[in-house]
């Protein structure tokens, strides 16, 4: 059931197809290696779980939680680690898995923080990119969809912790 305030931007089928394409590219690029995929909680959970099941290479997973928007839809610009990794990433091939790059503040902070821990390689895969809202220069290594500047929910993304369970990615209309 789709509520009146929601408009589908990307259907579950479109997302599924693109996630499988991203998985083949990542599998090819990391062939012969076992990367550590770091999911950024909580929004990237659905993307990470779909992505890893379409990979044909072995991976490890870990999670980090960082503060971003709180209860608002505007970025505070403040990034704080709320849950850190369980293990060291030194000398590992690390791939950060994020739901969406918006201002770019979260990922530029995370990349800088993780690179100081001396991984062998460090890359970023994001399902969505909203380049119009960028406040710092940031280019993801893998990107599912470039989308216009609209607030989206579903497929793991929330508004005030609601709507994460929706299979489609939807625009939340004011
Ligand atoms: P950034 O630091 O501005 O790039 O923010 C990235 C984070 O903001 C993402 O990981 C999301 O949690 C959140 N975010 C940005 N845009 C949206 C959106 O349209 N819907 C839901 N969450 C969003
Ligand atoms: Mg997020």
């Amino acid at each position: 059931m789709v509520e009146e305030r929601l408009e589908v931007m990307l259907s579950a089928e479109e997302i599924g197809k693109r996630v499988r394409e991203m998985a083949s590219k990542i599998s090819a690029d990391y062939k012969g290696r076992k990367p550590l995929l770091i999911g950024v909680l909580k929004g990237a959970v659905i993307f990470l779980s779909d992505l890893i099941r379409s990979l044909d290479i072995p991976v490890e997973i870990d999670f980090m939680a960082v503060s971003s928007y709180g209860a608002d839809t505007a970025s505070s610009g403040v990034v704080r680690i709320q849950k850190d990794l369980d293990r060291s990433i030194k000398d590992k091939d690390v791939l950060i898995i994020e739901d969406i790059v918006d201002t770019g503040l979260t990922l530029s902070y995370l990349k800088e923080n993780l690179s100081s821990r001396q991984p062998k390689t460090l890359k970023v895969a994001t399902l969505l990119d909203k380049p119009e809202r960028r406040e710092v220069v940031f280019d993801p290594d893998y990107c599912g969809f470039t989308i216009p500047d609209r607030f989206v929910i579903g497929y793991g993304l929330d508004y005030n912790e609601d709507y994460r369970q929706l299979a489609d990615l939807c625009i939340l209309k004011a």
Side-chain angles (χ1 to χ4, degrees), residues 14 19 149 159:
E14 289 172 277
V19 170
D149 180 14
Y159 173 67

Side-chain angles (χ1 to χ4, degrees), residues 130-148:
K130 271 202 279 200
E132 283 170 52
R133 293 202 5 118
R134 210 61 109 248
E135 286 176 23
V136 289
V137 177
F138 186 85
D139 283 317
D141 301 279
Y142 302 94
C143 172
F145 302 92
T146 299
I147 62 167

Side-chain angles (χ1 to χ4, degrees), residues 69 98-100 102-106 130 150-152 157-158:
Y69 283 9
E98 178 61 302
D99 51 0
I100 184 165
D102 188 27
T103 63
L105 290 165
T106 307
K130 271 202 279 200
R150 302 296 299 273
F151 195 81
V152 288
L157 288 90
D158 75 307

Side-chain angles (χ1 to χ4, degrees), residues 33-39 48 51-52 55 57-63 85-97:
R33 294 186 278 168
K34 186 169 79 169
L36 170 68
L37 272 48
I38 298 180
L48 175 87
L51 183 76
I52 59 174
L55 293 172
I57 51 163
V59 293
E60 292 178 23
I61 63 171
D62 203 342
F63 294 94
L85 300 172
D86 291 338
R87 298 171 65 178
S88 162
I89 59 168
K90 193 167 188 306
D91 301 325
K92 290 191 180 253
D93 289 304
V94 173
L95 180 60
I96 303 174
I97 307 293

Side-chain angles (χ1 to χ4, degrees), residues 21-66:
E21 286 170 5
M22 293 178 82
S24 339
K25 177 86 173 86
I26 291 168
S27 299
D29 291 355
Y30 287 88
K31 197 171 190 297
R33 294 186 278 168
K34 186 169 79 169
L36 170 68
L37 272 48
I38 298 180
V40 185
L41 294 172
K42 304 170 197 168
V45 160
I46 311 275
F47 174 42
L48 175 87
S49 22
D50 281 348
L51 183 76
I52 59 174
R53 286 177 294 172
S54 292
L55 293 172
D56 52 25
I57 51 163
V59 293
E60 292 178 23
I61 63 171
D62 203 342
F63 294 94
M64 274 182 96
V66 292

Side-chain angles (χ1 to χ4, degrees), residues 106-121:
T106 307
L107 277 176
S108 26
Y109 168 82
L110 257 190
K111 250 195 119 170
E112 194 181 297
N113 181 289
L114 293 180
S115 69
S116 74
R117 306 182 197 192
Q118 302 169 326
K120 189 162 149 205
T121 61

